[in-house]
């Protein structure tokens, strides 16, 4: 890869750390609200709550579209960089845990793998 296209090694590690922090924020942030909902569902089913009004419906469609796009990206990128055997794990985890957690986690792990690959190539 030409030097002008490579991400500096330190930059890859910093970016991976940022992705890991976002994954942690996504995990804690979504599950704080999920647990609060489970403690007091106010008569709504979980998915029914997603579409309780126009604002929540807009946010739900936004998250669903991003989750599907992220899933496709993780599968395609996983295959491209040789992770096809296990990249698919992120897809069901996105819907079971939160795409706000799994997508930045995938990006962090990917960044570290690219860093290691660049160090081996030299």
């Amino acid at each position: 890869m030409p030097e002008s296209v490579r991400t500096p090694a330190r930059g890859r590690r910093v970016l991976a750390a940022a992705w890991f922090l976002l994954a942690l924020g996504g995990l804690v942030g979504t599950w704080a609200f999920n647990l609060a909902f489970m403690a007091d569902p106010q008569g709504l089913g979980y998915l029914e709550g997603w579409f309780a009004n126009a604002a929540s419906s807009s946010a739900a469609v936004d998250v669903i579209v991003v989750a599907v796009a992220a899933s496709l990206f993780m599968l395609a990128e996983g295959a491209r960089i040789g992770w096809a055997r296990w990249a698919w794990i992120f897809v069901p985890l996105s819907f079971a845990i939160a795409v706000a957690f799994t997508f930045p986690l995938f990006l962090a792990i990917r960044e570290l793998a690219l860093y290691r690959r660049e160090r081996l190539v030299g």
Side-chain angles (χ1 to χ4, degrees):
M1 187 179 300
E3 190 63 36
S4 62
V5 178
R6 284 191 183 162
T7 302
R10 182 177 186 279
R12 286 216 183 272
R13 292 188 312 247
V14 169
L15 190 53
W19 291 131
F20 278 124
L21 287 173
L22 285 170
L24 180 62
L27 179 65
V28 172
T30 57
W31 276 90
F33 287 108
N34 285 341
L35 293 173
F37 177 81
M38 288 180 220
D40 183 23
Q42 300 174 357
L44 294 175
Y46 185 76
L47 290 178
E48 187 181 15
W50 278 38
F51 296 95
N53 59 49
S56 65
S57 296
S58 173
V61 170
D62 190 37
V63 169
I64 292 166
V65 170
V66 170
V68 171
S71 295
L72 291 173
F73 175 80
M74 290 185 289
L75 292 173
E77 183 66 3
R80 188 183 73 79
I81 62 176
W83 297 353
R85 289 193 320 183
W86 65 271
W88 64 270
I89 293 169
F90 287 94
V91 175
L93 288 178
S94 294
F95 294 93
I97 299 174
V99 72
F101 167 66
T102 58
F103 189 52
L105 179 64
F106 174 87
L107 293 173
I109 294 169
R110 173 186 171 269
E111 204 62 43
L112 292 177
L114 293 173
Y115 166 72
R116 284 188 214 104
R117 183 178 292 175
E118 286 176 0
R119 286 193 63 184
L120 289 175
V121 172

